Each structure stands twice: as C-alpha cells, then as structure tokens.
Amino acid sequence: MGTGVRVGLIGVGWGSAVQVPAFRMVPEYEVAAICSRRPDRVGEAGAALGIPDVSTDWEAFVQRDDLDLISVCTPVGLHAEMTLAAIEHGKHVLVEKPQALVADDAKRMYERAESAGIAHAVCFEGRYEEQRVAVRQLVHDGYLGQAYFAQAHALADYWHPSRGLQSEWMYRVDEGGGYLMGMASHEIDFLSHLFGVPEAVCADVRTSVPLRRRRDGSELVVDADDTSVLVLRLPGGTLATVITSAVGLLHGDRGLDLLGSDGTIRVEGAIQGGEPVVRAARVGDSDWHEVGLGHRAPRSGMPLPDRRAAGAIRALALMLEDWLPAFDGKPAPGVPTLGDGWRVQQVIDAARRSSASEGWVSL
C-alpha cells in the first residue's frame, strides 16, 4: 500500500489504551484520526495521544478518502453497523472481539468483507501471547500425539460484589456484555485455532450477581453472565472445557491443560501482568520440564509501555505485523479473520441456547 496504512479508530477506551500503542509499534501503520460519540472524551484522548484529527460523526468518518483502515473498538452492539458501513465504503476493517452480538451479524460482516475483497481481522490477539505461541508450536509439531482433552479457564474478580462497577453496558446481554463474550471468546478462539472448529457444545451460563448497587444508591439490573462452563466436542474426538468466572474474589488467573497420547502441556499465568509458565512432559519423562516462551518482539524495537496492558499491546502489535501482507491481497496465515470471529460467535450463541435448556447443540 505504498507509504503505509492510514488508520481511523472508532472508540477511545481500549482503543486509546491498547490499540493506538500497538499500531505505533508497527511503522507501516499510522493512526491518523480517532472518533468517539462524546466530544469531551475524544478531545481528551486526541490531546493525550497527540492526534489532533478527532471526530464525533462515525458515519462520515468511515467514508473519508484519507483513511485506509477503520478499526472498530466500540461497545459490541455497535460493531456490526459500523463495520458494514466501513466495508461499504471500501475500507479495510479491524474489529475488536467479540465481533458482534449474534452469529448472524458476524456472518454478514464476514461475507460482505470477503465479497468486497478487503483485508479484515478480529482482535483475538491472544493467539500471539508468548505462552500461546509456544503452545501452538508444540501442538503443530505433534507433541501431544492424539489430542484427548483440553481445559481452559479464566477466573477474575471484576464483578465480585466487593468491586466497583465497570461500564454499565458490560452488564447487559443485549449490548454485548458478560464474560462469555469478554473472556471465554478468547479461549474458544484459541482451542479452535489449535484443534479445529467445535462440532457441538453443551453449556451452563449464569448470572450469579443479578443486582449491583450504583454509587448513588440505585440498583443496576444485571442480565449478562459472570460465570459460564462450556463443554466442546472438537474434531478428531477431542473433548474440551472452557470455564470462566468474573466473581472470583482475589482471582486474576488463566490456565490451559492439553492432554494427548504422547504428551501433556500445562500453562499457568495471570490474566494481566506476571510471567506465564509453560510446562510439558512426554511419554518416558519422569517429571515436567519448562518450555521456553515465544519471545518474539515487534521488529521496530520500540519499548513496550510499562503498564498492565503491555502484554496485550505486544500481542496485538505482532498480529498487526503478520497482517500486513493482507493489504496487498496476500495470505496472512494465523491472523484471526472475521470468519474466525463468526465461528466463535456461533459457539457463544449455541452455548446460550444450550444453557436455556437445549442440551447439546450441534454446530
């Protein structure tokens, strides 16, 4: 694309904290403009980031001739409308996960992007975390042999009654809130990336704390999930579980166990910050051995910011590097596309149906 990819970013929360720093670590991208519906927020973000080109009109924003890529980093309920509009005006698109409220919207986004011939991706940058790069290589090299079972979990205290409120949209299922979307989606994507798209799902999806008190004393009714347990049937007979909860007092950890005929792999670490550990063992070993992490750094050599989101910034920067060939119509293997986002959303929709009394739901 000549001198580079000019990025217009919609949404200044996660967008300011993670996306802008990640784009800036890859010289081929330039975050040229940002957009948010609230003038005060977008003005403050522009000043803090050194981006004077700010807007509150997303519909005009996605039509601008001087922007090549629109990154949609808004609440989930806005993803489909904004992405489809950007595609209609010939823009490449990057969409934060989860991709859409429901699978039908995610499918339409994917099909329109494919028909338009534009580059498209969804932010499952967790694939590029150091520990997951190491795991992916082991699995690719056949370390497990026949994969029998996988177990992924993510436990946090974000919605424990002792914690303050997050943004209120996150507590509403009709706005894309909840942690089936927020945390489990990453685990579903990674297991699908390793072993193939799930064939069936059985789940229990729950709201453990249905009422939260605001600072003014009023009550917020919560219908989005804080806890979910999914059982997945994966190709080749592999069984998997994905367990997430946001009501774990003092919790902030993630784990992954992969069991196979020839070997076993375990990952332990924090949701944010800290150094993850990957251990593995094969038939004949008497004990676990530690596996080196995938210490790939962005090729620009720019230092990571010293904050909790540094791991996410690094992972997204690596994903953005690998995505560059797509802007010239070339393959970008391993980069999650809107097709991957659609398949994850199918699993999420099926999990909700299962939990609502349908039992095993085939995909």
Side-chain angles (χ1 to χ4, degrees):
M1 293 195 61
T3 57
V5 181
R6 288 177 59 83
V7 180
L9 191 147
I10 309 177
V12 296
W14 187 257
S16 297
V18 173
Q19 286 210 5
V20 171
F23 275 117
R24 285 177 167 171
M25 297 193 80
V26 186
E28 289 85 353
Y29 298 95
E30 176 194 355
V31 181
I34 58 176
C35 179
S36 181
R37 62 186 174 182
R38 287 177 49 184
D40 55 338
R41 287 203 68 195
V42 75
E44 291 171 3
L49 295 166
I51 303 173
D53 190 338
V54 301
S55 172
T56 58
D57 183 354
W58 74 262
E59 291 174 300
F61 193 75
V62 302
Q63 298 181 45
R64 287 176 46 166
D65 292 335
D66 61 339
L67 298 177
D68 307 306
L69 165 65
I70 298 297
S71 182
V72 178
C73 197
T74 60
V76 184
L78 301 172
H79 285 187
E81 182 182 12
M82 291 178 172
T83 302
L84 291 169
I87 293 169
E88 181 182 346
H89 290 92
K91 307 304 181 187
H92 306 292
V93 290
L94 176 68
V95 185
E96 261 302 332
K97 66 82 202 164
Q99 186 166 310
L101 289 175
V102 295
D104 285 348
D105 286 344
K107 178 183 180 183
R108 187 162 65 253
M109 294 159 75
Y110 168 61
E111 290 179 341
R112 294 272 184 88
E114 284 288 286
S115 296
I118 53 94
H120 55 88
V122 62
C123 289
F124 285 122
E125 73 279 351
R127 295 186 185 187
Y128 287 83
E129 293 171 350
E130 295 175 310
Q131 69 275 25
R132 299 204 166 195
V133 171
V135 169
R136 181 174 57 192
Q137 190 62 55
L138 287 172
V139 173
H140 180 267
D141 291 344
Y143 190 94
L144 293 174
Q146 179 186 347
Y148 292 146
F149 178 69
Q151 184 274 126
H153 77 263
L155 306 176
D157 64 352
Y158 305 138
W159 286 11
H160 190 271
S162 62
R163 290 284 300 265
L165 289 177
Q166 296 183 309
S167 297
E168 289 200 7
W169 71 266
M170 296 180 68
Y171 297 88
R172 294 182 54 87
V173 72
D174 63 352
E175 294 187 28
Y179 280 91
L180 180 58
M181 299 276 260
M183 291 194 297
S185 59
H186 274 296
E187 312 307 325
I188 296 165
D189 173 70
F190 190 59
L191 291 174
S192 300
H193 184 50
L194 291 179
F195 302 115
V197 179
E199 298 172 345
V201 59
C202 187
D204 195 342
V205 182
R206 299 192 176 197
T207 305
S208 306
V209 186
L211 291 175
R212 294 295 307 266
R213 191 166 296 279
R214 299 183 178 95
R215 287 186 177 180
D216 64 4
S218 63
E219 288 189 328
L220 170 67
V221 177
V222 180
D223 65 355
D225 64 280
D226 53 49
T227 300
S228 60
V229 178
L230 279 61
V231 183
L232 307 175
R233 290 175 178 161
L234 300 173
T238 305
L239 188 68
T241 61
V242 175
I243 301 169
T244 57
S245 182
V247 291
L249 181 63
L250 299 182
H251 270 286
D253 56 283
R254 293 168 68 199
L256 178 68
D257 284 282
L258 306 178
L259 315 182
S261 60
D262 296 343
T264 186
I265 303 168
R266 165 166 283 186
V267 182
E268 299 170 332
I271 288 178
Q272 286 189 340
E275 186 78 358
V277 176
V278 181
R279 294 186 175 90
R282 299 204 82 191
V283 173
D285 292 343
S286 59
D287 201 354
W288 297 89
H289 66 272
E290 193 165 321
V291 176
L293 300 181
H295 285 302
R296 173 184 162 194
R299 66 172 184 272
S300 66
M302 292 178 59
L304 284 168
D306 184 18
R307 58 176 186 262
R308 289 184 67 189
I313 294 168
R314 174 189 166 279
L316 182 57
L318 295 176
M319 186 184 113
L320 293 172
E321 279 187 4
D322 284 1
W323 193 30
L324 287 169
F327 296 99
D328 293 318
K330 299 175 182 176
V335 175
T337 68
L338 295 186
D340 295 305
W342 167 39
R343 285 182 278 272
V344 169
Q345 194 62 48
Q346 287 178 286
V347 175
I348 290 171
D349 287 7
R352 288 183 172 142
R353 288 168 51 200
S354 172
S355 185
S357 75
E358 291 192 30
W360 279 100
V361 177
S362 297
L363 298 168

